[in-house]
Amino acid sequence: GEDVEQSLFLSVREGDSSVINCTYTDSSSTYLYWYKQEPGAGLQLLTYIFSNMDMKQDQRLTVLLNKKDKHLSLRIADTQTGDSAIYFCAETSGSARQLTFGSGTQLTVLP
Amino acid sequence: GAVVSQHPSRVICKSGTSVKIECRSLDFQATTMFWYRQFPKQSLMLMATSNEGSKATYEQGVEKDKFLINHASLTLSTLTVTSAHPEDSSFYICSARKGVITEAFFGQGTRLTVV
């Protein structure tokens, strides 16, 4: 089946850039997503990218997609303490286009 | 963005009782709704996919008689955990999709504790 992998932890200093990486196995993925989850809360969609795009930028967020290597990254510029959360990458697959999630990356922003 | 409301946010119930969780799309019609389960510090596990007016499609290993899903309208899906046991304690999250190729929006989750 499809598999999505992420590193579990990332720590950065406030004001630095954060880069969260994700790899996936399904070559037929059409949309790839980044979600943010704060403690005890649901998931907030941050951004998504269509598989025929290489890059998408939205304010402090930059998504890079290397379809050949099946690698997705999320860069957060000028990381703030409010960015501390778990970040999930996900891809759509299956006839119902359900999401397959990575394990999540716990981002900790240090003052 | 679209809003998905999940209710209740927290529930504590006694072992052997049933609990119903509601998921509503507030400002759009959801053709498809998904139910996930999340264990502490783990990713989301898809439990089932439901389309309005039809039976839910359950993922392998998910007991359909234990986790009853009803998607009676384009704005409401319910998950009922029947005869709950402590091992059913978890964080349950729903999501709703507007169309076939659109992003899914998530509810705020329900923390279920079975005592």
Side-chain angles (χ1 to χ4, degrees), chain A residues 6-48:
Chain A
Q6 300 176 240
S7 53
L8 294 180
F9 303 99
L10 176 66
S11 292
V12 299
R13 294 228 172 258
E14 193 173 12
D16 289 348
S17 292
S18 308
V19 179
I20 303 171
N21 294 302
C22 172
T23 58
Y24 60 98
T25 58
D26 188 357
S27 58
S28 64
S29 298
T30 50
Y31 282 89
L32 297 119
Y33 304 82
W34 284 103
Y35 285 90
K36 176 183 180 182
Q37 185 181 35
E38 299 188 33
L43 273 67
Q44 174 195 355
L45 177 66
L46 290 177
T47 186
Y48 65 95

Side-chain angles (χ1 to χ4, degrees), chain A residues 30-31 33 35 37 40-45 48 50 86 88 92 95-104 106, chain B residues 32 34 36 38 41-44 46 49 51 59 91 93 95 97 100-109 111:
Chain A
T30 50
Y31 282 89
Y33 304 82
Y35 285 90
Q37 185 181 35
L43 273 67
Q44 174 195 355
L45 177 66
Y48 65 95
F50 190 49
I86 300 175
F88 291 95
T92 51
S95 57
R97 307 196 72 80
Q98 63 264 34
L99 290 164
T100 299
F101 286 88
S103 55
Q106 173 75 60
Chain B
T32 306
F34 304 90
Y36 294 86
Q38 186 180 31
K41 299 190 187 302
Q42 293 189 27
S43 188
L44 281 75
L46 179 65
T49 303
N51 293 296
E59 295 299 301
F91 193 57
I93 307 177
S95 73
R97 169 166 278 141
V100 177
I101 307 179
T102 59
E103 62 269 31
F105 299 93
F106 284 79
Q108 65 268 46
R111 171 73 60 194

Side-chain angles (χ1 to χ4, degrees), chain B residues 1-43:
Chain B
V3 179
V4 175
S5 175
Q6 194 172 333
H7 177 80
S9 57
R10 284 182 179 272
V11 59
I12 300 173
C13 70
K14 291 187 177 179
S15 193
T17 61
S18 295
V19 174
K20 180 183 284 188
I21 303 169
E22 292 188 349
C23 180
R24 292 181 185 273
S25 55
L26 297 186
D27 52 0
F28 67 99
Q29 292 186 325
T31 54
T32 306
M33 287 188 170
F34 304 90
W35 286 96
Y36 294 86
R37 184 173 180 176
Q38 186 180 31
F39 292 101
K41 299 190 187 302
Q42 293 189 27
S43 188

